[in-house]
Amino acid sequence: MPTSTDTDCVIRLDSLSMVYPTKSGGTVQALDDVSLSVRGGEFISIVGPSGCGKSTLLRIIMGLSRQTSGRVTFGPSEDTHRNQLGMVFQQPLLLPWRTVRKNLLMSPDLHRARDAATRAKADELLVMLGLEEFGDRYPNELSGGMQQRVGIGRALMHDPRILLMDEPFGALDAMTRDQMGLDLLKIWDQDRKTVLFVTHSIPEAVLLADRVVVMTPRPGRLADVVDVALPRPRRLENINTPEFGEIVLKIRKLLDSEHSAH
Amino acid sequence: MSTSTKRHAAEREAPEGEPVEAPARPGTPVRGRRRRVPEITYSVLVFLGLLVVWQVVVKLFDVSTILVPAPTAVAGSLVDGFQDGSLMTHSVVTLKEILLGFGIAVGSALVSAVLITQFRPVERVLFPLLILTQTIPKVAMAPLLIVWFGIGISSKVLTVALIAFFPLLINAVLGFRSAAHEQVEMLRSFGASRAQVMRHLQIPSALPHIFAGLEVAVILSVTGAVVAEFVGSSEGLGYLIQASNFTLDVARTFAVIVVLSAIGIALHAVVVRLGKWLVFWTATPTETAGEV
Ligand SMILES: Nc1ncnc2c1ncn2[C@@H]1O[C@H](COP(=O)(O)OP(=O)(O)OP(=O)(O)O)[C@@H](O)[C@H]1O
Ligand SMILES: [Mg+2]
């Protein structure tokens, strides 16, 4: 990754709004005037009450939904495209008829780019994810946490510069979850991808991120963007420091005040 | 699905109280073929038990051979039939009708299902019509088909195809629609085209449903062929049943029924094996949409 562009903006959201039509003929405003600049290599967590439009936001960035108004631009140069995005979903969404290795190779298979190099990369990823013995197993032979790791690996396979993660650890138990968060930080530390990480857990958001985006209840607006100026590498012990507690408290207050304002 | 129908059928045939146990399968792995092998064994056991009871009852109460022949008489008739070649030639005719009709049904049902699930207008126009025609009892069409296509093999093939088509179509449509929306989005997030979503997701997701449909359809195909032969034919096992009924050769009628059952069981087993082999990732068989 070219260091000169590290501080440049890689995703720019300009007053994004999203209005869904409902079955009963009405409308639901999921996002309202969301603007945000994300710098390259930045780890951003997004927190907000359920239904505030976090998934909608990621889906728009990914190109799975089209916004009602506003713009998404990718930087820093013209040749930055959506194919430099990788998405990790809340569910692993592995294909049960493909082995773990072949699930990792999903993206190269779709682009007919499965060669020796990608296979080597898949093996590398298996090691990195701690799944080297499970390459030839099928997803239903794996635990939930392992499946989720495959889902993350699959998104990393085509080496996206930007990783969008929608509550990737939501379905995991607390212990696995902490471990996965730290593993994710390790992976992130290797080449500092830009990460947008949606979570319901405030401590998790703070532990991982450089900045935490706090959203309001529906329609989702940005309540505030909180800087997390904690040193890296982060460890689980960070959670017990007063600085950490302060940031968590600040975010909690933001969320509470937004709640009571409604 | 087919599992339960089969077990019910077995219960109906064995009122003598041959216990039909739920197949216990200790120590079998969760994944893979865990159902079929013991089940066929049970079917055979039930069948043998039935034979013994039958023989005893016939001998004990001295039942008239015109009503119910003893299993030994049926066996004798079977041997005779295969020795003089008549059972074999008629079986080949019926098997040909079944396979051709079944093949046509599979092909047309799969193509229709793809069209229906891929193209909205086709779905809008065709699907209600198909559901509507589904309510027609297909065997009632057999006499018409004989009038239209003659007494030869083509009317039988079409009857079979007609009967097998609907359960296949309904299951295939369900199958092609069964892929989770999230999975579709996952593939799209990797830039998959519509054709790729079809190939990598919708077709594999449809397979368990398609095989559930095939299991129903293959048995219906046998019924279809026999019924069509009843209505009008000069060869085939259905013809043979009518002919032997006419001459009061009840042992022979039973012998033909045995052959028909064997054909049905064999074809069903082939479909099930193929399904287990292709759909290796599901531990539990998929529920079928209501049959016929
Ligand atoms: N396809 C859709 N059609 C209609 N309304 C939708 C659709 N998708 C989302 N919504 C609505 O938009 C709002 C935001 O949904 P979204 O899934 O983005 O929330 P979220 O912040 O991800 O919630 P959660 O934390 O529970 O996942 C919700 O009120 C939801 O009902
Ligand atoms: Mg969500």
Side-chain angles (χ1 to χ4, degrees):
Chain A
M1 174 151 295
T3 43
S4 60
T5 61
D6 266 1
T7 52
D8 291 349
C9 165
V10 292
I11 311 173
R12 182 190 212 91
L13 311 178
D14 285 311
S15 5
L16 274 189
S17 293
M18 183 69 177
V19 180
Y20 285 112
T22 57
K23 287 235 167 65
S24 53
T27 56
V28 180
Q29 178 143 28
L31 291 175
D32 181 24
D33 195 29
V34 172
S35 298
L36 182 70
S37 289
V38 182
R39 289 185 292 271
E42 203 173 17
F43 198 122
I44 292 204
S45 292
I46 303 173
V47 294
S50 182
C52 74
K54 304 179 295 291
S55 299
T56 303
L57 186 63
L58 290 200
R59 292 168 46 84
I60 290 173
I61 297 173
M62 191 69 222
L64 293 173
S65 298
R66 176 124 191 90
Q67 68 270 27
T68 317
S69 65
R71 264 159 59 89
V72 182
T73 36
F74 296 98
S77 55
E78 294 290 306
D79 63 345
T80 314
H81 295 301
R82 284 227 153 88
N83 62 16
Q84 289 173 328
L85 268 64
M87 183 128 175
V88 180
F89 301 83
Q90 178 161 1
Q91 306 300 324
L93 298 179
L94 306 179
L95 299 182
W97 45 85
R98 287 181 156 244
T99 60
V100 166
R101 182 177 278 105
K102 282 194 176 161
N103 266 291
L104 286 179
L105 288 166
M106 196 68 243
S107 159
D109 275 358
L110 289 173
H111 299 100
R112 294 186 177 74
R114 189 152 147 199
D115 51 23
T118 55
R119 267 193 294 270
K121 167 108 201 206
D123 287 334
E124 226 173 81
L125 275 175
L126 282 173
V127 174
M128 190 169 87
L129 299 165
L131 293 169
E132 59 268 53
E133 282 151 41
F134 294 90
D136 297 316
R137 301 284 197 89
Y138 286 91
N140 63 3
E141 299 171 281
L142 268 58
S143 72
M146 292 157 94
Q147 292 187 23
Q148 194 59 37
R149 272 181 270 167
V150 180
I152 294 171
R154 181 179 56 191
L156 293 172
M157 187 65 214
H158 63 295
D159 209 8
R161 289 193 24 198
I162 302 163
L163 206 51
L164 307 177
M165 308 181 87
D166 191 358
E167 299 188 47
F169 310 145
L172 304 179
D173 62 280
M175 259 165 59
T176 317
R177 189 171 178 152
D178 288 342
Q179 192 51 51
M180 296 274 290
L182 297 175
D183 289 349
L184 176 63
L185 276 187
K186 251 184 253 154
I187 294 170
W188 175 75
D189 211 35
Q190 288 179 358
D191 60 355
R192 296 276 166 135
K193 294 179 192 309
T194 309
V195 179
L196 289 184
F197 184 92
V198 170
T199 176
H200 270 127
S201 156
I202 300 173
E204 184 176 74
V206 175
L207 181 67
L208 301 179
D210 297 315
R211 290 195 289 161
V212 178
V213 171
V214 183
M215 290 178 71
T216 66
R218 207 173 50 226
R221 264 176 276 112
L222 295 199
D224 203 353
V225 180
V226 178
D227 282 310
V228 183
L230 300 173
R232 290 189 186 273
R234 308 252 172 95
R235 274 181 269 115
L236 220 47
E237 294 87 85
N238 284 101
I239 293 183
N240 299 320
T241 63
E243 299 93 315
F244 193 95
E246 261 169 49
I247 299 170
V248 168
L249 196 65
K250 183 174 175 189
I251 294 170
R252 191 154 281 150
K253 274 187 180 151
L254 273 168
L255 285 169
D256 280 348
S257 64
E258 287 300 335
H259 247 304
S260 46
H262 275 72
Chain B
M1 147 76 257
S2 68
T3 316
S4 60
T5 8
K6 208 182 204 171
R7 210 169 295 140
H8 288 314
E11 270 160 8
R12 256 184 274 120
E13 283 166 20
E16 297 83 3
E18 186 72 31
V20 186
E21 306 161 40
R25 25 194 134 71
T28 38
V30 182
R31 215 172 64 79
R33 53 237 79 190
R34 58 170 205 183
R35 267 191 130 92
R36 265 323 131 165
V37 178
E39 188 172 297
I40 286 169
T41 319
Y42 281 113
S43 306
V44 170
L45 283 179
V46 169
F47 188 66
L48 289 180
L50 182 69
L51 286 185
V52 172
V53 174
W54 179 2
Q55 180 84 24
V56 170
V57 169
V58 167
K59 290 293 165 206
L60 221 65
F61 299 100
D62 202 14
V63 181
S64 155
T65 48
I66 306 178
L67 284 179
V68 183
T72 43
V74 176
S77 183
L78 260 178
V79 171
D80 287 349
F82 276 110
Q83 266 170 359
D84 66 23
S86 61
L87 268 181
M88 205 56 196
T89 28
H90 289 289
S91 296
V92 168
V93 170
T94 302
L95 196 59
K96 204 161 127 193
E97 292 162 2
I98 293 171
L99 291 180
L100 282 174
F102 185 65
I104 291 173
V106 172
S108 49
L110 290 185
V111 170
S112 315
V114 169
L115 292 178
I116 284 172
T117 48
Q118 291 298 297
F119 302 104
R120 260 288 147 81
V122 180
E123 175 185 353
R124 292 239 173 84
V125 178
L126 228 55
F127 206 53
L129 277 178
L130 287 169
I131 296 292
L132 204 70
T133 45
Q134 204 207 347
T135 56
I136 301 173
K138 259 68 66 184
V139 284
M141 298 284 291
L144 271 181
L145 290 173
I146 303 249
V147 171
W148 291 337
F149 296 97
I151 204 165
I153 188 172
S154 49
S155 57
K156 319 298 181 293
V157 169
L158 287 174
T159 308
V160 171
L162 195 64
I163 286 184
F165 177 75
F166 287 94
L168 277 173
L169 178 77
I170 303 290
N171 280 289
V173 167
L174 275 183
F176 284 122
R177 283 190 186 145
S178 69
H181 182 63
E182 289 81 7
Q183 294 276 31
V184 177
E185 296 214 312
M186 182 276 292
L187 284 180
R188 275 181 57 206
S189 84
F190 289 113
S193 66
R194 216 168 117 173
Q196 284 178 319
V197 172
M198 187 78 194
R199 179 171 153 231
H200 288 285
L201 178 64
Q202 279 158 335
I203 290 177
S205 319
L207 280 181
H209 298 263
I210 290 175
F211 270 93
L214 286 173
E215 282 186 40
V216 176
V218 79
I219 297 295
L220 287 177
S221 297
V222 179
T223 311
V226 175
V227 168
E229 285 172 0
F230 281 173
V231 176
S233 63
S234 54
E235 50 183 352
L237 292 175
Y239 163 80
L240 206 56
I241 286 181
Q242 286 212 313
S244 40
N245 248 12
F246 190 69
T247 57
L248 296 184
D249 189 352
V250 186
R252 194 177 172 85
T253 306
F254 272 83
V256 177
I257 293 175
V258 168
V259 173
L260 274 172
S261 311
I263 290 176
I265 289 170
L267 291 178
H268 186 256
V270 168
V271 169
V272 168
R273 281 294 159 84
L274 194 64
K276 289 283 170 215
W277 179 66
L278 276 174
V279 191
F280 57 87
W281 61 88
T282 50
T284 48
T286 320
E287 288 296 315
T288 343
E291 35 192 290
V292 197

